Structures are given as C-alpha cells and as structure tokens.
Amino acid sequence: MGRGRIRSGLAETWGRKLTPSEDFTWRTVLERFASDGRPASVQEIAERIGVPDDEARTLLADLRSHDLLGLDESATTITYAYPFANTPTEHRVQLYRRLVHAMCAIDALGIAGMLGTNTRIESCCRACGGRIEVRTTPNGKALGHYRPAEAFVWYDFAYAQAAAASCCPAIAFFCSNEHLEQWLLAQSRKRVGSRLTLNEGLELSRSFRASPRDDEPALNCKPVKVGGCVKELRELSRVLRPDNPATRTPQLSNCGDLVLAP
C-alpha cells in the first residue's frame, strides 16, 4: 500500500474535528474501559455526559464514523475503543489491579502512555506462540524489563476504513526475524509494513496516543532498516498529529480512585 493511500485513508477518518460532545463521549468511553476493564453501556454513557439515551447512541455512531470505536449491529454495545478490546485478544495488559485486552501490539504498548502509568504486557509470538512479556515505566515513556530480548513488533500498513478490521489483526509481536519471515511467507496476500524494535513500537504508540499538546516530536525513534519505512512512519505520524487537538486520542487523567498494582 502506498504512502498516499495510507495518508488519505487515515486523514479521512481520523483527521476530522470532533465536537465538544463527541470528545466528551470519547473520553468517557475510554475512561470506563481503563477503570472497569469493560465498555460502558449506552445508558451509563448518557447519564455520565448528561444527555438522553438516543443522543448518546448518535454520538457513539459519530465516533464510529471517525474509526475511534466499534459498535455491534444494533449500535447499542461498544465492541472496542482503541486501544481497548471488549473481547479477549492475544495482547493482555495488566493495568492497575485488572487485566485489559488491547486491539494490537502497538495499542498494547500505547496504553501506558495514554494513562501515564506502568503496565505489564503479556502476549505471544504470532508465528510460534512463544511468550512475550513487556513492562513499561510509570510515565509510559520508556520500556522496563522485556523478554525475550530479541522481541519486536511487525507494524502493518493495511489500513482500510477501520483499523480493527484491516491493519490491527496483523500488528503483532514476534520473537525472531526467522519467525516473522515464516509468518509473512504463510500469508495469503503480500503484507506491507515495517519491523520495529520494541522501543520504536513504543514511540509509534505514543505518536498515536500521546496528548497533542505534548511538545515532543510526533515520532522520535531510531532508523528502521526497511526501505522507505522510516519515511512512511514519520509521514503517518504527521497525519495522526494534526493541529486540531480533538482529532487525537486524549491523554486520560480522570479514571477514578484507582490503585496501582505493585
């Protein structure tokens, strides 16, 4: 997939300004996922933001059109809200005293920075199923302990309409280059993407999840040794960090009186 197609698809869905009501609804959804490990119901959201149920449903549908969350066929139940999944995935994140599931490997890395806390990620190599564990520091800006030492992330560029159904299923951890190559060869169609170290994956997740008011660069990682991918990722990060702060995943700070697990 070319850079132009990636940028145009993302700009169309993530580059539109949110209204104050949409932004408040979005933050409410994410805060409930973070504090309870599950999505809020339409009724809970309506009560929290102070609108009738029908208006809350409309706001959620608007957020779905921005590809910020997913709804079931009846549009009454939230199925995911990046970075959180409402059903078990291979990416399990220990957050506070509960376990949450992330939509993809990059989302798993990004939860710490979005919430400004430490997390422990338990996942597996997509090819062999071997255990992969990653710990982040309390501010979410650096890696702590991780194993195996050779673990990395495959970042897939196949964005189309909704990340959950296009690139997310292919964005995963691997434990070796050999296993990534085996997995790529086994795919029914050619995958286009980038091999990222865990540090690079964390930086990319921060460009997706960090506050747009942050003065740090959108993407500040060491070069990726794959032809064209450094430029691709930097251009992608610029698309995801427009001047409008309502177009970015908010950095949450009001998730209730949560107790951080040791």
Side-chain angles (χ1 to χ4, degrees), residues 19-40:
T19 67
S21 294
E22 289 171 339
D23 184 66
F24 188 24
T25 304
W26 187 19
R27 291 172 185 271
T28 299
V29 170
L30 293 178
E31 287 169 358
R32 178 55 63 90
F33 259 115
S35 63
D36 293 357
R38 65 170 181 85

Side-chain angles (χ1 to χ4, degrees), residues 28 40 51-52 68 79 96 138 157 185 191 193 197 200 220 222:
T28 299
V51 300
L68 298 175
T79 55
Y96 307 116
F157 290 154
L185 288 172
R191 310 299 312 190
T197 67
E200 291 163 348
N220 181 22
K222 294 180 291 184

Side-chain angles (χ1 to χ4, degrees), residues 33 37 79-94 99-109 111 120-126 132 164 168-173:
F33 259 115
T79 55
Y80 61 85
Y82 309 112
F84 301 105
N86 189 31
T87 55
T89 70
E90 67 194 275
H91 313 294
R92 302 172 299 280
V93 182
Q94 189 70 37
L99 190 70
V100 297
H101 290 85
M103 293 294 292
C104 68
I106 292 294
D107 278 346
L109 291 168
I111 289 175
R120 184 177 76 244
I121 301 165
E122 296 178 357
S123 190
C124 58
C125 173
R126 177 61 61 87
I132 291 175
C168 273
I171 298 175
F173 293 102

Side-chain angles (χ1 to χ4, degrees), residues 12-67:
E12 181 180 354
T13 54
W14 290 354
R16 290 175 289 174
K17 184 177 181 179
L18 296 183
T19 67
S21 294
E22 289 171 339
D23 184 66
F24 188 24
T25 304
W26 187 19
R27 291 172 185 271
T28 299
V29 170
L30 293 178
E31 287 169 358
R32 178 55 63 90
F33 259 115
S35 63
D36 293 357
R38 65 170 181 85
S41 67
V42 171
Q43 293 76 19
E44 289 170 329
I45 292 171
E47 182 178 352
R48 173 71 177 86
I49 65 178
V51 300
D53 290 358
D54 288 347
E55 185 174 343
R57 290 191 184 92
T58 298
L59 288 166
L60 290 173
D62 290 341
L63 293 176
R64 177 175 58 183
S65 71
H66 286 271
D67 189 26

Side-chain angles (χ1 to χ4, degrees), residues 56-191:
R57 290 191 184 92
T58 298
L59 288 166
L60 290 173
D62 290 341
L63 293 176
R64 177 175 58 183
S65 71
H66 286 271
D67 189 26
L68 298 175
L69 54 77
L71 298 171
D72 66 359
E73 293 182 0
S74 65
T76 58
T77 301
I78 298 169
T79 55
Y80 61 85
Y82 309 112
F84 301 105
N86 189 31
T87 55
T89 70
E90 67 194 275
H91 313 294
R92 302 172 299 280
V93 182
Q94 189 70 37
L95 176 66
Y96 307 116
R97 293 190 181 277
R98 62 185 56 81
L99 190 70
V100 297
H101 290 85
M103 293 294 292
C104 68
I106 292 294
D107 278 346
L109 291 168
I111 289 175
M114 186 179 73
L115 296 172
T117 188
N118 66 308
T119 58
R120 184 177 76 244
I121 301 165
E122 296 178 357
S123 190
C124 58
C125 173
R126 177 61 61 87
C128 72
R131 180 185 176 89
I132 291 175
E133 181 178 326
V134 181
R135 292 176 181 264
T136 59
T137 59
N139 59 14
K141 293 183 178 181
L143 295 177
H145 171 77
Y146 58 89
R147 60 180 180 181
E150 299 79 13
F152 61 88
V153 175
W154 168 258
Y155 184 80
D156 203 89
F157 290 154
Y159 184 85
Q161 297 183 331
S166 53
C167 55
C168 273
I171 298 175
F173 293 102
F174 287 86
C175 65
S176 70
N177 283 321
E178 179 184 4
H179 286 176
L180 171 61
E181 291 170 3
Q182 292 173 357
W183 180 79
L184 289 173
L185 288 172
Q187 300 306 294
S188 58
R189 63 184 180 86
K190 182 179 179 180
R191 310 299 312 190

